[in-house]
CSV table of all heavy atoms in Angstrom, one decimal:
chain,number,residue,atom,x,y,z
A,116,LYS,N,95.3,81.3,94.1
A,116,LYS,CA,94.6,82.1,93.2
A,116,LYS,C,94.5,81.4,91.8
A,116,LYS,O,93.5,81.7,91.1
A,116,LYS,CB,95.4,83.4,93.0
A,116,LYS,CG,95.4,84.4,94.2
A,116,LYS,CD,96.0,85.7,93.9
A,116,LYS,CE,96.6,86.4,95.1
A,116,LYS,NZ,95.9,87.6,95.6
A,158,LYS,N,101.7,87.6,89.8
A,158,LYS,CA,101.0,87.5,91.1
A,158,LYS,C,101.4,86.2,91.7
A,158,LYS,O,101.4,85.1,91.0
A,158,LYS,CB,99.5,87.5,91.0
A,158,LYS,CG,98.8,88.7,91.1
A,158,LYS,CD,97.3,88.5,91.2
A,158,LYS,CE,96.6,89.7,90.9
A,158,LYS,NZ,95.1,89.5,90.9
A,163,GLY,N,98.8,87.6,99.0
A,163,GLY,CA,97.8,88.3,99.9
A,163,GLY,C,98.5,89.6,100.3
A,163,GLY,O,99.8,89.7,100.3
A,164,GLY,N,97.8,90.6,100.5
A,164,GLY,CA,98.3,91.9,101.0
A,164,GLY,C,99.2,92.6,100.0
A,164,GLY,O,100.1,93.3,100.4
A,165,GLY,N,99.0,92.3,98.7
A,165,GLY,CA,99.8,92.9,97.7
A,165,GLY,C,101.3,92.4,97.6
A,165,GLY,O,102.1,92.9,96.9
A,168,MET,N,103.9,90.6,94.2
A,168,MET,CA,103.2,91.1,93.0
A,168,MET,C,104.0,92.1,92.2
A,168,MET,O,104.7,92.9,92.9
A,168,MET,CB,101.9,91.8,93.5
A,168,MET,CG,100.8,91.8,92.5
A,168,MET,SD,99.4,92.7,93.1
A,168,MET,CE,98.5,91.6,93.9
A,200,GLU,N,98.7,87.8,84.8
A,200,GLU,CA,97.4,88.3,84.4
A,200,GLU,C,97.6,89.5,83.5
A,200,GLU,O,98.6,90.2,83.6
A,200,GLU,CB,96.6,88.8,85.7
A,200,GLU,CG,95.9,87.7,86.3
A,200,GLU,CD,95.1,88.2,87.6
A,200,GLU,OE1,95.1,89.4,87.8
A,200,GLU,OE2,94.6,87.4,88.3
A,201,LYS,N,96.7,89.7,82.7
A,201,LYS,CA,96.6,91.0,81.9
A,201,LYS,C,96.5,92.1,83.0
A,201,LYS,O,95.7,92.0,83.9
A,201,LYS,CB,95.4,91.0,81.0
A,201,LYS,CG,95.3,92.2,80.1
A,201,LYS,CD,96.2,92.1,78.9
A,201,LYS,CE,96.3,93.4,78.3
A,201,LYS,NZ,97.6,93.6,77.5
A,203,LEU,N,95.2,95.3,83.9
A,203,LEU,CA,94.1,96.2,83.5
A,203,LEU,C,94.5,97.6,83.9
A,203,LEU,O,95.0,97.8,85.0
A,203,LEU,CB,92.8,95.9,84.1
A,203,LEU,CG,92.3,94.4,83.8
A,203,LEU,CD1,90.9,94.2,84.4
A,203,LEU,CD2,92.2,94.1,82.3
A,208,HIS,N,88.6,98.5,92.1
A,208,HIS,CA,88.5,97.2,92.9
A,208,HIS,C,87.1,97.3,93.7
A,208,HIS,O,87.0,98.1,94.5
A,208,HIS,CB,89.7,97.2,93.9
A,208,HIS,CG,89.6,96.1,94.9
A,208,HIS,ND1,90.6,95.1,95.0
A,208,HIS,CD2,88.6,95.7,95.8
A,208,HIS,CE1,90.2,94.2,96.0
A,208,HIS,NE2,89.0,94.6,96.4
A,232,GLN,N,94.4,102.6,96.6
A,232,GLN,CA,95.5,101.7,97.1
A,232,GLN,C,96.8,102.3,96.9
A,232,GLN,O,97.1,103.1,96.0
A,232,GLN,CB,95.4,100.4,96.3
A,232,GLN,CG,94.1,99.7,96.3
A,232,GLN,CD,94.0,98.4,95.5
A,232,GLN,OE1,95.0,98.2,94.7
A,232,GLN,NE2,93.0,97.6,95.7
A,275,GLU,N,86.3,89.3,95.3
A,275,GLU,CA,86.9,90.5,94.8
A,275,GLU,C,86.9,90.6,93.3
A,275,GLU,O,87.2,89.6,92.6
A,275,GLU,CB,88.4,90.6,95.2
A,275,GLU,CG,88.6,90.7,96.7
A,275,GLU,CD,90.0,91.1,97.2
A,275,GLU,OE1,90.9,90.7,96.5
A,275,GLU,OE2,90.1,91.7,98.3
A,288,GLU,N,89.8,87.2,93.1
A,288,GLU,CA,90.0,86.2,94.1
A,288,GLU,C,88.9,86.2,95.1
A,288,GLU,O,88.2,87.2,95.2
A,288,GLU,CB,91.4,86.3,94.8
A,288,GLU,CG,91.5,87.6,95.6
A,288,GLU,CD,92.7,87.6,96.5
A,288,GLU,OE1,93.2,86.6,96.8
A,288,GLU,OE2,93.0,88.7,97.0
A,439,THR,N,92.2,102.2,90.7
A,439,THR,CA,93.3,101.7,91.4
A,439,THR,C,94.6,102.5,91.2
A,439,THR,O,95.6,102.3,91.9
A,439,THR,CB,93.6,100.2,91.1
A,439,THR,OG1,93.8,100.1,89.7
A,439,THR,CG2,92.4,99.4,91.5
B,701,ADP,P1,96.3,90.4,97.2
B,701,ADP,O1,95.6,89.1,97.5
B,701,ADP,O2,97.8,90.4,97.4
B,701,ADP,O3,95.7,91.6,97.9
B,701,ADP,P2,94.8,90.9,94.8
B,701,ADP,O4,94.8,89.8,93.8
B,701,ADP,O5,93.6,91.0,95.7
B,701,ADP,O6,96.1,90.7,95.7
B,701,ADP,O7,95.1,92.3,94.1
B,701,ADP,C1,95.4,93.4,94.9
B,701,ADP,C2,95.2,94.7,94.0
B,701,ADP,O8,96.1,94.7,92.9
B,701,ADP,C3,93.9,94.8,93.4
B,701,ADP,O9,93.0,95.4,94.3
B,701,ADP,C4,94.1,95.7,92.2
B,701,ADP,O10,94.2,97.1,92.6
B,701,ADP,C5,95.5,95.2,91.8
B,701,ADP,N1,95.3,94.2,90.7
B,701,ADP,C6,95.2,92.9,90.9
B,701,ADP,N2,95.1,92.3,89.7
B,701,ADP,C7,95.1,93.2,88.7
B,701,ADP,C8,95.0,93.2,87.3
B,701,ADP,N3,95.0,92.1,86.6
B,701,ADP,N4,95.0,94.4,86.7
B,701,ADP,C9,95.1,95.5,87.4
B,701,ADP,N5,95.2,95.6,88.7
B,701,ADP,C10,95.2,94.5,89.4
Side-chain angles (χ1 to χ4, degrees):
K116 289 185 206 250
K158 266 190 198 180
M168 206 185 269
E200 275 180 7
K201 182 81 195 154
L203 304 182
H208 172 123
Q232 304 179 346
E275 297 189 333
E288 63 165 343
T439 58

